[in-house]
Amino acid sequence: MKKLARWLLGVGVGLGVCPEAAAQTRPGEQAQVYTVTNGGEGVHFEIPQVRLSNAAVARRINRQLLRLVTDYSSAVDSTASPRRQLTQLARECCYDEESRVWLAAGSGLTGMTYEVLLNQNYLLSFQFQRSDQGLEQPGTSHLTFDLRTGRLLTLAELVADSPAQLERRLGYAISRRLRDELADVVATYGDSALITEVAQLYGITEWNTTPQRGLHLDTSPGANAGAEEAKVYPTEFALRPDALLLFYSIGMARLKFEFLPDETYVFPFARLRPRAILRPLLQARPVEKKAASKSK
């Protein structure tokens, strides 16, 4: 009887599984991401590589990921293993062959780390942080792949919003953020010389130092920037499960990094015109939200 009861309970549990929980990830829909690394004094490279059911697609992606760092050197043997390529790159930038010591800083590219922003529904999006001469750089770079083909995707392949419209909306968002950042400088320091210097770093010639965070930033398709707002075409982009990320980094000397604003601008898919390649991702969101609410 105990065995029968356990069997019946097992059937009950099996029948009670919701479709969302029972759904399985299809082969190739997600990549298995692993890290190839090389370390030495003043050197640290972490480069992602992927495994997929389609080995040819995985090789195509892995070559492009390695080229993100190896293209900076003419001394790297592209036929060598990924770890060997990183070793060659590290020795070129940061090892003194004559004294046989690792240099504290090195020259050129001396490090790279990464973060996976999205890995589902045949889409894989990375963010990379580089170091030059041993110092981490403020701006990031990004790559987004189609896991079906291994191709790098362009922004136009992801959203149908026109370049001019995205340009206006990003420019408007940048202008609002920089003005709020400048207002914080005014409130925190109150030094007119410093305020003028930061305003110049931000490219602001006239400003209202009243913070505008209470105002809603409209990133909808119909949003229009004022005539004075900068128009910046988005060249850096990435994906996360709920939004398109656009990036704009302000160039400034390292001593001024405390005034460096966040480079990331979030545009929810609901306020964009996603193309067909994003539809499976959008359809997955309600399922994820429903599963999350049930687990609470």
Side-chain angles (χ1 to χ4, degrees), residues 70-211:
T70 58
D71 276 357
Y72 286 92
S73 169
S74 59
V76 172
D77 179 6
S78 61
T79 64
S81 69
R83 183 176 295 276
R84 179 60 181 163
Q85 291 185 52
L86 294 183
T87 299
Q88 293 170 347
L89 181 65
R91 291 185 70 89
E92 182 184 13
C93 77
C94 304
Y95 188 74
D96 189 320
E97 297 288 352
E98 185 175 341
S99 60
R100 297 184 179 182
V101 296
W102 288 97
L103 304 175
S107 61
L109 177 66
T110 56
M112 183 80 76
T113 58
Y114 75 93
E115 178 184 357
V116 178
L117 300 178
L118 178 72
N119 183 12
Q120 66 183 82
N121 299 101
Y122 300 102
L123 295 168
L124 179 60
S125 195
F126 290 105
Q127 176 168 286
F128 299 91
Q129 185 85 54
R130 62 175 286 160
S131 295
D132 289 334
Q133 297 180 325
L135 299 174
E136 186 177 278
Q137 299 305 299
T140 55
S141 57
H142 310 83
L143 296 176
T144 299
F145 293 95
D146 181 345
L147 292 180
R148 293 183 178 89
T149 64
R151 284 195 316 107
L152 273 174
L153 293 168
T154 65
L155 186 55
E157 291 175 304
L158 297 172
V159 295
D161 302 74
S162 71
Q165 191 175 71
L166 288 174
E167 186 178 295
R168 286 194 301 270
R169 292 165 64 187
L170 178 59
Y172 176 58
I174 292 169
S175 179
R176 288 289 300 275
R177 179 170 295 175
L178 294 183
R179 290 174 186 277
D180 280 345
E181 291 286 338
L182 184 59
D184 279 347
V185 174
V186 173
T188 304
Y189 297 95
D191 183 331
S192 59
L194 179 61
I195 294 168
T196 300
E197 183 179 2
V198 174
Q200 290 175 345
L201 290 173
Y202 292 168
I204 300 175
T205 55
E206 297 180 5
W207 64 87
N208 175 1
T209 57
T210 303

Side-chain angles (χ1 to χ4, degrees), residues 12-65:
V13 170
L15 293 176
V17 174
C18 65
E20 295 86 357
Q24 298 294 317
T25 301
R26 292 183 291 274
E29 189 175 357
Q30 284 186 323
Q32 181 183 351
V33 181
Y34 63 99
T35 303
V36 177
T37 185
N38 167 265
E41 187 177 345
V43 181
H44 191 61
F45 291 99
E46 293 182 358
I47 303 301
Q49 297 283 268
V50 304
R51 294 188 182 96
L52 291 166
S53 56
N54 188 324
V57 170
R59 284 194 297 271
R60 190 173 303 132
I61 293 174
N62 289 338
R63 283 196 298 267
Q64 294 177 85
L65 290 170

